[in-house]
Amino acid sequence: MFRAGELVKGFKNRTVPRERTALAIWFWEIDRVLLSLIVALMAIGLVAVAAASPVAAIDRSTSSVSVTPLIYFYRQLIWVFLGLPIMLVISMLPRQQARRLALFLSAFFIVMLLCVPILGSTVNGARRWIDLPGFRFQPSEFLKPVYVVTMAWLLSLRGKDMSLPVIPLTGALTLLIAAILMKQPDFGQTVIFLACWGCLLLLSGVSMRFIGIMAGIGLAGLIAMYMFYENGRQRINDFLGIGVAQDTGPDQTELAFRTITHGGFTGVGPGGGQNKFRLPEAHTDYIFSVIGEEFGLLACIGIACVYLAVVVRVLLRMLDEDDNFTILAAAGLTTQFGLQAIINMGVNAQIFPSKGMTLPFISYGGSSMLALCIGVGLLLAFTRRNPFMGRHTVVKWSGR
């Protein structure tokens, strides 16, 4: 007859890691399912960029300069090899250190965002980038994840002292960022920042009356944007076909929709796509359409399921979390990640107007890849936990 104590002791001996190194502890505490999903998205992204790279290479080739067809694939490979270690290193940080890192980076990239009108370079009519020797980066991309953690930290202080003016403070900071982004112009990123702030407000426990007032202000802001913001009005008009001459041909979202549906359910095969050569920025904004044409709608559905699995995994991980800051930070980072994926896929499926939004870990881009790796590294750090802490092994023994 086995004794309950022996059974529990045997269970522990089989499951508790023998090594006590920092790497071993990290391996047992990290959410390996979430990490595997992110690595899978990176692998999918490399295949997709390889399929879309020839399109961008042709667009950037001239009569005197010929761009290598797979140059953007090779560059993306470099960004993955740089971003993955950054993500893993950040994920090894304790929660308090990860939060401090996010606060420091948030302040730094807000300053960089303020410098864009002065030091920034203009690409495709938008002034969003800062050029450094050998590297061009977009401050708003890097600001997104650390902004979410900063807002989560500020709003978590409300639970300790209700008299702190954290809501006006976070609102003023968000409006400042939104005003800078609208000036660039970058309406898509503005939507992401405002949506993340709204999500964090809702989770922080503000009254539904306040949420209703903010929703009304948001609706009024959209109407004002359409009336007075030329870039946003033009994108909406193009999407709705208002004021567009019949002989101008299909717009970007219509081209993307035709491309994504051209391959049917199974696709025309790797490298066999032809409609992709009509897409602008096929390797970034419209890479989801390239995937649909060459690998089929089933592949697109599978990718959407991977994004959904990431969101669901984090939310399930937070079900038994009792730290307010951790819940807000993880939920905010997941909102930013999931909303960006939804907007990109929706634009490619002609559900939303064009917004210039990359598909997380799949679209080409150094700023996007490194910023996402920082964000997921923080998310992995906040969702780490000892698998044996907080668990109680209960063995019922009837004696029969």
Side-chain angles (χ1 to χ4, degrees):
M1 179 182 295
F2 292 100
R3 295 180 180 178
E6 294 176 353
L7 182 60
V8 173
K9 183 179 179 180
F11 171 77
K12 290 183 177 180
N13 289 337
R14 288 195 301 271
T15 55
V16 176
R18 296 178 182 274
E19 299 183 41
R20 298 298 180 184
T21 64
L23 186 60
I25 294 173
W26 170 85
F27 178 79
W28 281 94
E29 291 183 347
I30 200 73
D31 189 343
R32 294 186 293 276
V33 174
L34 179 59
L35 179 60
S36 299
L37 291 171
I38 297 300
V39 173
L41 286 174
M42 288 182 172
I44 293 170
L46 289 174
V47 175
V49 171
S53 181
V55 181
I58 291 175
D59 290 341
R60 285 154 179 79
S61 296
T62 63
S63 57
S64 59
V65 178
S66 179
V67 180
T68 304
L70 290 179
I71 186 172
Y72 292 99
F73 167 75
Y74 298 138
R75 290 180 180 177
Q76 187 75 345
L77 199 59
I78 294 174
W79 294 127
V80 169
F81 281 134
L82 287 176
L84 190 57
I86 292 174
M87 181 178 69
L88 295 179
V89 169
I90 293 177
S91 72
M92 295 178 183
L93 297 176
R95 289 183 180 181
Q96 189 174 14
Q97 293 184 17
R99 184 185 64 197
R100 289 174 180 173
L101 175 65
L103 295 177
F104 169 78
L105 291 178
S106 182
F108 175 77
F109 286 116
I110 287 176
V111 173
M112 290 295 99
L113 191 64
L114 291 170
C115 292
V116 169
I118 304 171
L119 306 175
S121 59
T122 302
V123 179
N124 295 331
R127 195 178 185 90
R128 306 171 185 171
W129 292 265
I130 292 180
D131 286 328
L132 297 177
F135 179 61
R136 172 189 294 161
F137 77 100
Q138 187 175 352
S140 60
E141 285 284 356
F142 289 93
L143 180 59
K144 277 189 298 187
V146 292
Y147 156 85
V148 167
V149 177
T150 302
M151 295 297 104
W153 173 66
L154 289 172
L155 289 171
S156 68
L157 299 178
R158 186 171 176 267
K160 301 176 182 178
D161 188 352
M162 295 293 290
S163 64
L164 292 175
V166 292
I167 294 180
L169 178 61
T170 57
L173 186 59
T174 303
L175 289 178
L176 172 64
I177 294 172
I180 299 173
L181 292 175
M182 295 287 278
K183 184 68 177 177
Q184 291 181 355
D186 195 345
F187 181 64
Q189 297 282 26
T190 305
V191 171
I192 295 290
F193 277 93
L194 292 176
C196 289
W197 181 60
C199 173
L200 291 174
L201 281 180
L202 184 62
L203 292 175
S204 66
V206 298
S207 66
M208 293 306 299
R209 179 183 177 184
F210 182 81
I211 294 295
I213 294 173
M214 295 306 299
I217 294 174
L219 180 60
L222 286 175
I223 297 173
M225 180 274 298
Y226 184 81
M227 295 176 62
F228 304 108
Y229 187 58
E230 178 64 27
N231 181 266
R233 180 170 64 250
Q234 186 62 45
R235 289 180 180 270
I236 294 175
N237 287 344
D238 291 344
F239 177 73
L240 298 176
I242 300 175
V244 178
Q246 296 297 324
D247 57 350
T248 58
D251 64 358
Q252 294 180 4
T253 55
E254 188 173 351
L255 287 173
F257 182 76
R258 292 180 181 180
T259 303
I260 199 174
T261 56
H262 179 249
F265 282 102
T266 57
V268 298
Q274 296 299 319
N275 284 12
K276 66 181 182 181
F277 290 98
R278 303 176 61 192
L279 287 174
E281 306 298 334
H283 61 317
T284 56
D285 301 350
Y286 296 102
I287 198 167
F288 196 60
S289 293
V290 176
I291 295 172
E293 182 179 25
E294 298 200 352
F295 301 97
L297 294 176
L298 292 179
C300 293
I301 294 173
I303 292 172
C305 290
V306 176
Y307 284 115
L308 178 62
V310 170
V311 174
V312 171
R313 178 65 184 180
V314 175
L315 295 180
L316 290 176
R317 193 84 168 179
M318 290 295 102
L319 284 178
D320 55 352
E321 179 62 53
D322 55 4
D323 180 64
N324 193 28
F325 163 73
T326 303
I327 294 173
L328 290 173
L333 288 169
T334 307
T335 299
Q336 177 230 311
F337 179 84
L339 187 59
Q340 184 170 333
I342 289 173
I343 290 176
N344 180 278
M345 292 186 290
V347 169
N348 282 264
Q350 211 177 6
I351 298 174
F352 304 133
S354 176
K355 286 185 173 61
M357 190 76 63
T358 58
L359 189 60
F361 291 112
I362 293 182
S363 293
Y364 169 82
S367 292
S368 177
M369 177 61 68
L370 296 182
L372 285 164
C373 286
I374 291 173
V376 172
L378 291 170
L379 185 59
L380 289 169
F382 295 140
T383 55
R384 274 176 54 191
R385 63 181 58 181
N386 189 322
F388 304 99
M389 292 293 292
R391 289 186 179 183
H392 302 282
T393 305
V394 179
V395 180
K396 295 183 178 180
W397 191 262
S398 63
R400 296 180 183 178

